[in-house]
Amino acid sequence: MDLGPHVSNIHYDVAFADTREPFCGSGGAQWLRVNIEGERFSDEDCAYQQIYAQDIDQPGQMHYQIMDAKHPDQWQLFYGGVMRGNGNTGPGPEASRDVWAAVLENAGEDPNQYENVYDLVVAGAIAAGIGFKADTIEGLATEMGVPPEALKATVDRYNELAAQGVDLDFGKNPDFLWPIDTPPYYALSRRAHPLGVLNGLRINTEMQVLDKDGEVIEALYAAGNNSGGNYFGGMVQPMCAPAMTTGRALLTGRLAALNAAGA
């Protein structure tokens, strides 16, 4: 295989994963995050690309975003950064309208009752069992399956910090330190998903696979994302380069076929 380090390719908004994640465009939103024990564990205003690194140290390697009834307006106010608010360059809820409309239909609910696509997608997440809604924090915790006392204590502490306007626990940007005090309350589960293969078999310019000593393995070729040399080092792969992987697949596939045929 390619020698390391291998670049990360991880997202929280893979709409078609087995454990579906809600509404593209908000996996990095700065709402309160808690682990499966109902405890806060990070500054929610960190870069999107670093959220997975915080989750790694949490039980279950996941988190929940916790919001109240004000969250649709708050989502419009988040600025900058990948997969945060409505103003970023990533795909918004509109990108997953059809997916979540189908989820609601499968649950026996009419998606047309939601005029706002954001509300439709949140409702779809709840119908799919990865979003939760309740009129109290304790009730929300019960729906989530986390300890009610712990989540209530976490939210109380968060609201205390919001009232002070200073995050003494994790240093969060006070611009997004908003109290969670208006029912109904919401929780959205978030798990990191790998998006693609970022390393592969070591090859030469003829697309021939190499052994551990860098020698050619006769009659063995590799192409596309399973061939190496794509991304070497770095924090994340370039996410906005159209046809980057398909272009590579076409080029390396053709070269491998021509070389294998001796053309």
Side-chain angles (χ1 to χ4, degrees):
M1 302 296 293
D2 263 344
L3 300 177
H6 302 129
V7 67
S8 300
N9 186 301
I10 297 173
H11 284 275
Y12 280 84
D13 296 285
V14 181
F16 297 99
D18 289 338
T19 53
R20 293 185 172 189
E21 294 305 317
F23 60 108
C24 293
S26 65
Q30 298 99 308
W31 290 304
L32 169 65
R33 296 185 192 127
V34 302
N35 59 23
I36 61 176
E37 295 175 347
E39 298 173 346
R40 188 183 182 209
F41 59 92
S42 71
D43 167 17
E44 296 86 0
D45 196 35
C46 68
Y48 174 79
Q49 296 93 333
Q50 290 300 314
I51 298 174
Y52 82 93
Q54 297 178 339
D55 280 1
I56 285 174
D57 292 329
Q58 300 307 308
Q61 291 74 53
M62 64 164 292
H63 69 268
Y64 295 96
Q65 290 175 313
I66 307 296
M67 311 98 76
D68 67 6
K70 303 185 295 292
H71 69 96
D73 294 332
Q74 292 170 349
W75 185 74
Q76 302 290 340
L77 298 175
F78 290 137
Y79 62 75
V82 179
M83 301 296 177
R84 286 190 171 181
N86 193 32
N88 69 55
T89 57
E94 190 71 41
S96 52
R97 173 192 291 270
D98 294 341
V99 172
W100 295 106
V103 169
L104 286 170
E105 288 176 346
N106 290 338
E109 189 173 347
D110 180 12
N112 296 317
Q113 66 181 292
Y114 300 100
E115 297 180 3
N116 185 310
V117 64
Y118 180 93
D119 294 334
L120 178 151
V121 175
V122 172
I126 294 170
I130 59 168
F132 308 92
K133 179 181 178 180
D135 290 329
T136 66
I137 294 298
E138 293 89 343
L140 183 67
T142 299
E143 292 291 322
M144 297 162 59
V146 306
E149 300 84 0
L151 184 61
K152 181 64 165 57
T154 295
V155 172
D156 286 347
R157 172 60 176 169
Y158 190 77
N159 288 345
E160 177 186 332
L161 297 173
Q164 297 179 30
V166 180
D167 183 3
L168 300 175
D169 295 344
F170 294 99
K172 182 176 184 176
N173 184 342
D175 288 346
F176 307 119
L177 192 61
W178 298 322
I180 301 171
D181 57 7
T182 307
Y185 302 101
Y186 298 82
L188 298 169
S189 64
R190 296 291 190 181
R191 296 178 186 272
H193 296 286
L195 202 61
V197 176
L198 293 185
N199 66 328
L201 300 173
R202 296 176 65 189
I203 56 172
N204 60 18
T205 56
E206 307 293 316
M207 304 298 114
Q208 295 172 295
V209 177
L210 308 179
D211 63 20
K212 64 180 181 180
D213 298 318
E215 301 296 328
V216 169
I217 300 175
E218 293 297 329
L220 184 60
Y221 297 81
N225 286 344
N226 289 321
S227 62
N230 293 23
Y231 300 102
F232 302 112
M235 184 164 63
V236 294
Q237 93 291 356
M239 290 190 291
C240 301
M244 180 168 61
T245 55
T246 52
R248 178 184 172 87
L250 290 169
L251 174 64
T252 57
R254 177 173 173 78
L255 288 174
L258 290 172
N259 288 321

